[in-house]
Structures are given as structure tokens and as C-alpha cells.
Amino acid sequence: MISPSDTRITYFGGSGKPAVTEAIVKLQKAGFDVVAGSWHRIEAGLLREVGIPMVSDRMAALDDSQVVITSFRTSAEVENLYLGDNGLLELMEPGTYAVDLSFSTPQLAREIAAMAAISDIEMLDAPIVNLGGGNKDAIEDLSALFPYLAPAVYPQSDVGEGQFAAMIAYISLAGSMMGAIEAMSIAHIAGFNDSKAISTLASTSGGSRALIDYAHARTRLFGQHQRLRIPRRPRCRTRHRRAAGHYLTARRDGLPTLRPALRCGR
């Protein structure tokens, strides 16, 4: 089992996700010896600020490292990082742990894990940092990392399941966000107070974690009483208008209704 006093972590970043950057900073502050082998320009300043060395040479960055953490935006980037020329699986020492926080595919995660096993490297896929798929013993060995990656961790039983768990979570999130946007749009058109609308949704079965996080972020950025701004529909300046779908508007009694959306042109 690893511990801050005797573990070096090499971070290869490229996604620029704030949650991932914050996790790496927390590991550094907890006493882990953290080195950055690659990084996104957005996170470079914060990594330097906390004193994380930034080493562009992969071999040098991996020197004496027991754990490698990666985070990239696309499957192609992940595949190239691990399996491409001068890839990590060629450079990492046997017995090293690799934790990939990228959102790719279950198939790619399994392929990388199978190649890693040949070199005696344990692979975990955790695209949502609290959902990790991999060998049970490896997850237990890395348990000291988890409190800094996420408030709670729900290990999956096999490599690739972390990716699948992320997939269904994002599908659910998309549905929740669409519902919240529609609900808030109707509330705004009807003149219903935005803060009251959010509180109403959050306190009923129509609430969601996405809605609550949105409310907290909105309060931090704009204050409690900031109105939700919705752009006005541009008016058509010609006499030739035709229907193009529908849009929400308000009736004289204040209630929302659907009306044909008019588009300029013949």
C-alpha cells in the first residue's frame, strides 16, 4: 500500500479539467512527491504555484515513479499516450500503477490494461474520479490516494467498467440538465423568481444534483438575487416571414405557451 512519505506520482495532463487539477494539487499538499510530465496550459500556472516540477521529457518524469495519473480529452490522445511511440507502457517500470482519469471507451481501457498486464503494470480507469474500474487488490493498494481524488469512492469490479459508469452518468446528467433548462426558461418567461424556482425544484422530486450544483455556482458568481438572463429573439425586419419550429412566450395572464417561431426570408 502506498503512502505520502514514500510515493512519487507522475501526472500526465492535457484535459484541463479543474477537478483533476485540484486533485493533483491536493496530492502535492498531502505530502506526495508529484511531478508533471505534461500539462494543459490552463492548469500550468496552478501546478507551478504549488511547486510541482514540470518535466517535459517522459523518461525523466517517470524516474522513480510508483504511480502514474493521466487525464486527456479524447480517446485518440489516451491511446497515443499509452500505446504510441515512446508510450508510457514502454517507459514505465514493472510494478507501477497507472490511473487514467480520461473519458474514453470501455474497449480502449481494456486494451490498455491488457497490454499493461504484460509488463506487470496495474491499470485503473476512473473517468469520473470516484468511479474506478480495475483489479481489486490494486484498488486497495491505491486507497491512500482516493480521499484526495474525490469525497467518496465507488470501485467498479473490472477495467472498463469505470468508463461504462461514466457513460451512463453523463447520459443521465444530460437529461437532467435539459429538464432543468426547460423548467427555468418557463419560470423566467412567466416572471417567477429564479431563486424561488430553483428552491422549488431542489426540494421536490424534480430536483437533481446537476441543478443544485448549478444553483451554488450561480450564487457564487452572480449573487443570490441575480436574474437569469435569456437572450431576446431577434425581430424580423422584412415582411416575408415563415414558421420555423416553435418557441416559448408568455400569454397575457403570465403563463407560458408555445408559439410558431418566425424566420426571416422568403
Side-chain angles (χ1 to χ4, degrees), residues 10-31:
T10 302
Y11 170 61
F12 288 92
S15 66
K17 294 179 181 178
V20 174
T21 309
E22 291 172 8
I24 299 302
V25 169
K26 287 179 182 178
L27 290 169
Q28 167 78 0
K29 292 182 176 180

Side-chain angles (χ1 to χ4, degrees), residues 173-209:
L173 173 62
S176 296
M177 290 303 296
M178 288 300 296
I181 290 170
E182 290 290 344
M184 292 303 298
S185 296
I186 291 174
H188 181 80
I189 290 169
F192 196 71
N193 180 274
D194 297 335
S195 297
K196 288 182 179 180
I198 291 174
S199 299
T200 299
L201 289 173
S203 62
T204 65
S205 58
S208 68
R209 172 67 183 273

Side-chain angles (χ1 to χ4, degrees), residues 4-5 30 43 45 62 77 89 93-94 117-118 133-134 145 150 172 178 207 233:
S5 60
E43 57 192 0
L62 289 168
E77 290 176 313
L89 296 188
E93 293 291 331
I118 297 174
L145 295 180
S172 178
M178 288 300 296
R233 257 183 91 252

Side-chain angles (χ1 to χ4, degrees), residues 2-8 27 30-33 144 148:
I2 67 171
S3 64
S5 60
D6 58 3
T7 302
R8 187 181 196 192
L27 290 169
F32 288 96
D33 180 15
Y148 307 102

Side-chain angles (χ1 to χ4, degrees), residues 198 201-203 207-218 220:
I198 291 174
L201 289 173
S203 62
S208 68
R209 172 67 183 273
L211 177 68
I212 294 171
D213 286 348
Y214 160 77
H216 290 166
R218 178 171 162 274
R220 287 197 305 270

